[in-house]
């Protein structure tokens, strides 16, 4: 039990560092290699294509980072509950059952009683629940979109700089194992090998975030959390799916689609707390 918690705490510290490192590397590759190489114009230092793609990438990555920060800034904790600070092995099941029954759950990593807890996100280092679900969903949307955008530009960069053809669909499937072999044989430059590795990192993160996004939107529309679904608890929907989505995204949801700003006010949070009491 102690070893498992130690592994979870270690993952809780490593995952945010991994995300921020991958973000920094992505930013550097886009502005120092991909965009200048693909859209370089000998007749002008900066052309419209460079500005357009640079602005598009900045919009995507700043929204992803902004919603990431908002997810951390607004932790999902229920201050009304005075839950135990620690869960002993003897009371784990009873505590979980009690708080699940009342729409709450005790997180051992956060050491808090979480209102409408969905899951613990290791990349943000906190739980996803009542106050940060909307930011987490938008974080997944923009992260998956950013990864897809970087994947496309990365493929274009390899085509322009290293004359790698992607006309055959099998090229992408065999690109990584061939690049590993050629790299250790000294036939592939280090930058090319690193870009190939990042292509698969972006693909993995993008698909994972897209899956999380679809799952969370479906659960929110049903008025249910992943924690309740995993425990097999049948939850009666609080209202129509439009009302459930409005509870999470707020009335100014359109603004939240393009800017990482707070769209769910404190009054809505207080009303949601009463519904779950």
């Amino acid at each position: 039990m102690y070893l498992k918690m130690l592994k979870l705490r270690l993952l809780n510290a490593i995952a945010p560092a991994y995300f921020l490192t991958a973000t920094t590397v992505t930013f550097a590759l886009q502005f120092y290699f991909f965009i200048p190489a693909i859209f370089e114009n000998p007749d002008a230092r900066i052309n419209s294509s460079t500005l357009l793609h640079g602005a598009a990438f900045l919009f995507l990555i700043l929204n992803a980072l902004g919603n990431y920060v908002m997810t951390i800034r607004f932790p999902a904790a229920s201050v009304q509950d005075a839950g135990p600070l620690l869960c002993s092995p003897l009371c784990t099941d009873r505590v979980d059952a009690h708080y699940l029954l009342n729409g709450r759950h005790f997180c051992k990593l956060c050491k808090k009683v979480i209102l409408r807890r969905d899951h613990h996100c290791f990349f943000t280092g906190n739980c996803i629940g009542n106050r940060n679900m909307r930011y987490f969903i938008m974080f997944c949307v923009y992260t998956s979109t950013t990864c897809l955008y970087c994947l496309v530009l990365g493929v274009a960069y390899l085509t322009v700089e290293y004359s790698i053809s992607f006309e055959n669909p099998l090229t992408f499937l065999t690109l990584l194992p061939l690049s590993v072999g050629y790299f250790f044989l000294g036939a592939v430059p280090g930058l090319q090998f690193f870009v190939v590795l990042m292509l698969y990192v972006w693909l993995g993160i993008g698909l994972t975030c897209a899956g999380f996004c679809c799952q969370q939107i479906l659960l929110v529309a049903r008025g249910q959390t992943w924690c309740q679904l995993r425990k097999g608890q049948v939850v009666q929907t609080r209202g129509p799916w439009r009302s459930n989505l409005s509870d999470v995204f707020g009335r100014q949801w359109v603004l939240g689609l393009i800017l990482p700003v707070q769209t769910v006010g404190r009054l809505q949070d207080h009303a949601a707390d009463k519904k779950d009491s």
Side-chain angles (χ1 to χ4, degrees):
M1 186 72 176
Y2 176 77
L3 183 60
K4 181 180 179 181
M5 287 300 299
L6 182 62
K7 291 180 180 178
L8 291 177
R9 294 189 185 282
L10 184 62
L11 180 61
N12 207 42
I14 293 177
Y18 167 77
F19 172 76
L20 293 176
T21 301
T23 302
T24 304
V25 171
T26 299
F27 187 90
L29 286 175
Q30 290 293 325
F31 280 101
Y32 288 98
F33 295 97
F34 293 179
I35 294 179
I38 298 171
F39 306 104
E40 183 179 5
N41 187 355
D43 299 331
R45 296 183 62 182
I46 299 178
N47 56 31
S48 58
S49 297
T50 301
L51 292 176
L52 177 62
H53 286 275
F57 175 74
L58 280 177
F59 172 78
L60 293 175
I61 199 168
L62 289 180
N63 267 282
L65 289 174
N67 283 286
Y68 178 83
V69 172
M70 296 291 278
T71 303
I72 300 174
R73 182 183 175 188
F74 295 96
S78 176
V79 295
Q80 286 83 1
D81 275 312
L85 294 179
L86 293 173
C87 271
S88 67
L90 299 178
C91 71
T92 301
D93 293 335
R94 285 180 295 172
V95 169
D96 285 352
H98 168 71
Y99 287 119
L100 277 173
L101 184 64
N102 292 276
R104 294 160 172 79
H105 187 89
F106 181 82
C107 178
K108 297 178 183 179
L109 288 174
C110 297
K111 294 183 180 180
K112 296 177 182 179
V113 176
I114 306 300
L115 181 62
R116 275 196 278 175
R117 180 182 185 269
D118 189 86
H119 68 283
H120 185 91
C121 177
F122 291 100
F123 284 101
T124 59
N126 63 359
C127 279
I128 306 302
N130 62 321
R131 290 185 177 89
N132 58 4
M133 175 62 74
R134 164 257 188 276
Y135 309 115
F136 175 75
I137 292 177
M138 295 310 302
F139 163 68
C140 290
V141 169
Y142 278 103
T143 300
S144 60
T145 307
T146 303
C147 287
L148 176 61
Y149 184 81
C150 294
L151 183 64
V152 172
L153 288 189
V155 169
Y157 175 78
L158 291 176
T159 303
V160 172
E161 288 294 307
Y162 301 102
S163 302
I164 299 177
S165 176
F166 289 87
E167 294 182 358
N168 189 340
L170 295 178
T171 301
F172 192 84
L173 297 178
T174 59
L175 185 61
L176 181 60
L178 290 177
S179 297
V180 172
Y182 287 134
F183 174 74
F184 286 105
L185 291 175
V188 170
L191 179 59
Q192 178 183 345
F193 178 64
F194 184 72
V195 171
V196 171
L197 288 179
M198 288 304 298
L199 290 184
Y200 288 87
V201 170
W202 292 324
L203 179 63
I205 296 177
L207 291 178
T208 301
C209 289
F212 263 117
C213 178
C214 295
Q215 172 186 281
Q216 297 307 133
I217 292 177
L218 178 61
L219 289 174
V220 167
R222 294 171 58 183
Q224 193 176 26
T225 65
W226 170 247
C227 186
Q228 293 168 331
L229 181 66
R230 184 170 54 87
K231 293 287 185 178
Q233 182 185 16
V234 178
V235 181
Q236 291 184 351
T237 305
R238 299 182 184 86
W241 63 271
R242 292 178 182 271
S243 177
N244 294 332
L245 291 176
S246 179
D247 287 342
V248 172
F249 289 92
R251 295 181 179 180
Q252 297 178 336
W253 59 272
V254 177
L255 180 62
L257 292 180
I258 57 176
L259 291 174
V261 296
Q262 187 177 6
T263 58
V264 181
R266 294 182 179 179
L267 293 177
Q268 288 176 281
D269 284 341
H270 183 66
D273 292 350
K274 286 187 174 181
K275 287 183 181 179
D276 288 328
S277 299

